[in-house]
Structures are given as C-alpha cells and as structure tokens.
C-alpha cells in the first residue's frame, strides 16, 4: 500500500493535500540541505555582526541568560548558549547518527574498505593540527600549550552546511566522507575533553545513562513498526527516554551531544520483517530533519558564532599571541594535510579504497572544509584557558578567523568543480533526437 513517510495511507501527495498544506510545504523546503545551510549561515552572520556592534552587550546577556530545569540529583542550570550547544545540537547529532548508521548498514560505507578511509582520515585530521599548534607554542610553553586540542575538531554542522550550499552537484560520496570524518573527529575531541580537560568526570552517571539508552534501543528495535506508523509514538515513547539519556550523559561531564549519536545508532535501519521499504531510521530522519535544520542548528549557530573581535586593538593584541597562530595554522593547514595525508596512506593498503565517484581534487576541497571549527573548538578553548584568560579571548578570534578562511578556501576550490559536475549532469539529459538515449552516450 502506498503510504506517507509517517505511515499514513494515500501517499505523500494525498497527505499533503489533505492536511496542513502550508506546514508541509515549509517542512519540505527545510529538508533541502541548501536551505538549511543558508539558514544556518545567516544565523551565524547575524550573531557575528551583533556581537561586534555597540549593542553587543545585549547579545552576550541573551546568550549567557541562565535557564534552570529542576530535576532532583541533576544540575541542569545552563545558559541559553549551553542549552543550544549541548541540547539542541544533540538533535542534529541524533540525525547524523541515523544517517551514518544507514550508510554503514546499507549504504556507501557498508564495506570495511570504504568505511576505514574517513575514520582514518579523522585521526590524521586530529593529530597533525595538534602537532602544528604545539610547534607554534613550544617556545612560549606554560599555559599556552594547554590549548593543543583546540584546532583538532571539525564543526560538523557548519562544514556540512557550507558543502551543501556550494556543492549541490558534487558526488554524494564527498558529503558522506565529510559527515563520517566530522563525527569521528568530534567523538575523538569529546574523548580528549573527557580524559584531559574534565577534572570532575562522574562515571556513575554514565552507567546510569545506560538504563534509558538500553530501554530506548529495545523499544526501537522491538516495536519499530508500531513507532514508525504512528507519528506520536516517537514523541511520547522514545523522546522522554532520549532526554533522560542526554541529561545523565551531560551530568557525567562528557559532552552531551554524544548521547545523540548513540541514540541515532540504536535505531534500526532495516525493517524487522525483512521486506523492502524504509525502516524506522529513515522515517525518523524524515520527521525530525525540519526541526533540526529550521530551528536547532540555526539557534546553535546564533549562540556559538557571536565572537567579539575587539576592533583593530583587539586584532593587534591577538596577532601577538602564539595561541592565535597555532589555531589558525592548525585549522587551515593542519586539517587538510592530516586528512588528505592519512587518506592517501590508508588507500595505499589493500584493505582500503576510495569511493569510485571520489576524485582527489574534490577531496582536497572537502579537507579544506574540515578546517571549519566552532563548537567543540570554542568549548576546548574555554576548558584550556578559563573565561578570564586573555588567551581565551584570542583563541575565540583565532577560531573564527581560521574557520572563515577554511570555509572561503574550500568554497573557492569546490565551486568551479561543482559547476563542472552540473554541466556534465545537464549534458547527460540532452536527447536531441528523442530516442530515449542521451546524446552523450550515443
């Protein structure tokens, strides 16, 4: 039977005509990556401008305004900025987990030889920027060396958004490569935070988080058809368990967005009866994508991107700090060198191959986008130096400058290549003699 993505009879078109046509039109627009990417970039731009105007105090007052959720035994008194980066961004990581699991189970990464390439690239993209940062700060020593992990993390939301805007015709394998790379990269950074920068890690909360995670997994696996066919079920049954898991992981001292990835991987991709058709992961991704791209990620970008540069005086002071040069060089140079170099090395083995659609020239552009670092980099800089340290202010300026430069270089490299792919796609559609075979293949 033809059904809607939510399991309703009549197909998507019939459902759109029958109920909430305007709402459905908006959600369909927000499911397009280019639209979500533009919304995110606009939100970030507004924050950067606002944070550097005479009205900057109102922006920081809004970002630092605390909202407390009274739950016994948990300290959930967070600023709006932290609610966005720790809470709302977990929704994005949940969808990322869903998409990655689908790729690992039935997609381009379901073979070890393909999956190992972006995973290895992620490790290279962490190691080389860290070494470059240390090289710039070895002479200064002391406190500055504590920031060695700042340029190691790729901001997955921003990087994927930029790729979506500038590379709509690039091979889809590039996006999967960047997505996998960025997720593994952020997971490595979160592990670094847990073991290097977290002095009050509470393992008991991590153990407690296993209870809602395991129950969530059981219900998603055991009753996937029930949850898939009833849109309310995910909100009423799975969401409370997901929130409980998130809260306990957050309380443990580990970055809470990792809970989103874990819960995403817990959702089944294939239908339980083995029949063809979309599984629960695809249905949940379809339902929650507009929420993520239209609200969660833009709001996170708005609160994360507001960095006060401090005018000419602030820039002059920052340029004299080796922390700035270590971060910028780590992001702009270290990331592409580490990612591309480790990719080249691993593909020289017999057990690893690139996707056939991936060209090294295209991959270079993606590695440049890997230098976009915001969320985790800002978090690590705060943990490294503390809010009162001038190094922290300089690190924020460096993260912003390095990320913008990496995005610009990536766009400059990839846009002409995307144009070439678009021209090829258009030529493949030309069938002048209307014999059903494109002229390109005759």
């Amino acid at each position: 039977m033809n059904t809607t993505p939510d399991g309703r009879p009549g197909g998507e078109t019939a459902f759109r005509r029958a109920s909430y046509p305007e709402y459905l039109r908006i959600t369909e627009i927000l499911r397009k990556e280019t639209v979500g990417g533009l919304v995110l970039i606009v939100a970030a731009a507004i924050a950067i401008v606002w944070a550097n105007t005479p009205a900057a105090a109102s922006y920081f007052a809004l970002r630092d305004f605390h909202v407390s959720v009274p739950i016994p035994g948990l300290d959930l008194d967070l600023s709006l900025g932290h609610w966005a980066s720790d809470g709302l961004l977990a929704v994005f990581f949940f969808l990322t987990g869903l998409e990655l699991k689908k790729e690992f189970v039935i997609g381009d990464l379901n073979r070890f030889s393909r999956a190992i390439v972006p995973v290895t690239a992620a490790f290279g993209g962490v190691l080389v920027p860290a070494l470059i940062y240390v090289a710039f700060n070895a002479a200064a020593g002391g406190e500055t060396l504590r920031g060695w992990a700042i340029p190691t993390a790729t901001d997955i939301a921003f990087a994927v958004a930029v790729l979506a805007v500038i590379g709509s015709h690039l091979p889809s394998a590039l996006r999967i490569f960047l997505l996998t790379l960025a997720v593994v990269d952020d997971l490595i950074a979160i592990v670094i935070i847990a073991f290097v920068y977290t002095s009050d890690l509470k393992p008991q909360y991590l153990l407690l988080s296993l209870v809602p995670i395991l129950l969530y997994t059981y219900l998603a696996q055991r009753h996937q058809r029930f949850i898939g066919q009833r849109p309310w079920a995910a909100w009423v049954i799975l969401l409370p368990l997901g929130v409980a898991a998130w809260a306990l992981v957050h309380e443990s001292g580990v970055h809470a967005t990792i809970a989103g990835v874990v819960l995403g991987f817990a959702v089944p991709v294939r239908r339980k009866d083995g029949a063809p058709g979309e599984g629960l992961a695809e249905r949940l991704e379809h339902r929650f994508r507009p929420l993520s791209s239209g609200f969660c990620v833009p709001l996170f970008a708005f609160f994360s991107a507001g960095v006060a540069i401090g005018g000419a005086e602030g820039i002059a002071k920052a340029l004299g700090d080796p922390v700035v040069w270590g971060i910028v060089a780590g992001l702009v140079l270290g990331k592409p060198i580490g990612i591309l170099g480790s990719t080249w090395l691993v593909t020289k083995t017999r057990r690893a191959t690139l996707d056939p659609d991936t060209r090294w020239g295209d991959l270079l552009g993606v590695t440049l986008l890997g230098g976009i670092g915001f969320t985790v980099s800002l978090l690590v800089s705060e943990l490294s130096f503390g809010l009162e340290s001038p190094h922290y202010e300089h690190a924020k300026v460096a993260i912003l400058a390095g990320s913008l430069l990496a995005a610009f270089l990536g766009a400059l490299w990839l846009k002409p290549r995307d144009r070439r792919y678009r021209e090829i796609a258009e030529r493949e559609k030309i069938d002048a003699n209307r014999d059903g075979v494109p002229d390109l293949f005759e």
Side-chain angles (χ1 to χ4, degrees):
M1 181 178 67
N2 189 22
T3 60
T4 71
D6 288 339
R8 304 189 184 199
E12 186 175 336
T13 303
F15 178 61
R16 183 182 293 111
R17 290 173 179 170
S19 177
Y20 310 114
E22 292 300 323
Y23 166 78
L24 287 174
R25 190 174 295 113
I26 292 173
T27 57
E28 285 303 318
I29 291 173
L30 289 175
R31 285 189 181 98
K32 297 179 180 179
E33 281 195 333
T34 51
V35 174
L38 285 172
V39 173
L40 183 151
I41 292 170
V42 168
I46 291 173
I48 293 172
V49 172
W50 190 355
N52 290 278
T53 63
S58 60
Y59 169 82
F60 292 109
L62 177 64
R63 186 197 65 184
D64 298 333
F65 181 78
H66 274 245
V67 176
S68 177
V69 177
I71 299 178
L74 300 180
D75 182 21
L76 293 179
D77 183 11
L78 307 175
S79 67
L80 290 178
H82 276 122
W83 277 115
S85 63
D86 290 7
L88 294 181
L89 199 59
V91 177
F92 175 80
F93 273 86
F94 169 72
L95 292 172
T96 299
L98 290 176
E99 188 168 1
L100 274 182
K101 184 176 181 181
K102 186 171 68 174
E103 292 298 328
F104 279 118
V105 174
I106 60 174
D108 295 335
L109 300 176
N110 66 340
R111 286 186 290 173
F112 176 84
S113 61
R114 295 274 178 84
I116 193 61
V117 176
V119 172
T120 303
F123 280 90
V126 169
L127 178 61
V128 176
L131 292 176
I132 288 178
Y133 179 92
V134 170
F136 273 92
N137 288 271
E143 184 186 15
T144 62
L145 285 175
R146 284 185 52 81
W148 63 270
I150 295 173
T152 61
T154 296
D155 193 298
I156 183 173
F158 277 94
V160 172
V162 172
L163 182 63
V165 171
I166 65 175
S168 58
H169 289 82
L170 289 168
S172 60
L174 287 176
R175 181 184 178 280
I176 297 301
F177 181 93
L178 179 61
L179 193 66
T180 309
L181 161 78
V183 169
V184 176
D185 178 295
D186 277 356
L187 291 178
I188 295 171
I190 289 169
V191 171
I192 292 173
I193 291 171
F195 288 96
V196 178
Y197 294 105
T198 302
S199 58
D200 57 346
L201 183 66
K202 302 172 184 176
Q204 66 272 25
Y205 283 101
L206 276 179
L207 291 174
L208 284 173
S209 70
L210 293 177
V211 177
I213 289 173
L214 291 175
L215 183 56
Y216 176 100
T217 303
Y218 170 78
L219 292 173
Q221 296 283 343
R222 185 72 176 81
H223 301 287
Q224 58 172 297
R225 183 177 180 183
F226 177 87
I227 296 171
Q229 293 180 346
R230 295 163 178 80
W232 58 266
W235 297 94
V236 175
I237 299 173
L238 296 183
L239 180 61
L241 293 171
V243 171
W246 173 89
L248 290 169
V249 171
H250 178 274
E251 192 65 19
S252 72
V254 175
H255 203 267
T257 51
I258 196 173
V261 178
V262 172
L263 294 174
F265 270 89
V267 178
V269 172
R270 291 192 176 99
R271 292 175 54 173
K272 188 177 179 181
D273 55 10
E278 58 187 23
L280 183 58
E282 191 171 351
R283 294 196 175 196
L284 293 185
E285 192 275 337
H286 185 85
R287 292 176 194 169
F288 294 120
R289 178 67 64 186
L291 174 66
S292 173
S293 60
F295 177 74
C296 297
V297 176
L299 201 58
F300 144 75
F302 174 76
F303 284 119
S304 293
V307 177
I309 297 173
E313 183 180 354
I315 294 175
K317 287 182 179 179
L319 291 178
D321 191 342
V323 166
V324 171
W325 296 107
I327 293 172
V328 173
L331 291 174
V332 178
L333 298 177
K335 276 292 184 179
I337 292 172
I339 295 169
L340 204 61
S342 56
T343 301
W344 182 82
L345 285 174
V346 75
T347 52
K348 291 303 176 182
T349 68
R350 295 182 179 180
R351 300 297 303 274
T353 58
L354 280 174
D355 188 282
D357 292 333
T358 302
R359 302 289 180 268
W360 285 100
D362 302 333
L363 198 62
L364 173 59
V366 170
T367 64
L368 289 168
L369 295 183
I372 300 175
F374 264 109
T375 326
V376 180
S377 292
L378 289 170
L379 175 62
V380 174
S381 65
E382 178 183 332
L383 296 173
S384 299
F385 304 123
L387 296 175
E388 305 302 322
S389 171
H391 293 307
Y392 173 57
E393 294 300 322
H394 297 162
K396 291 195 296 181
V397 174
I399 292 167
L400 176 61
S403 299
L404 289 176
L405 183 56
F408 172 76
L409 292 174
L412 193 66
W413 181 264
L414 287 174
K415 195 59 184 176
R417 305 184 74 86
D418 180 67
R419 191 178 301 115
R420 181 170 61 84
Y421 280 108
R422 183 173 66 249
E423 291 172 355
I424 293 173
E426 290 173 354
R427 287 203 304 269
E428 288 177 348
K429 296 177 182 178
I430 298 175
D431 182 15
N433 56 12
R434 299 183 180 181
D435 61 353
V437 180
D439 296 349
L440 189 66
F441 300 106
E442 291 183 341

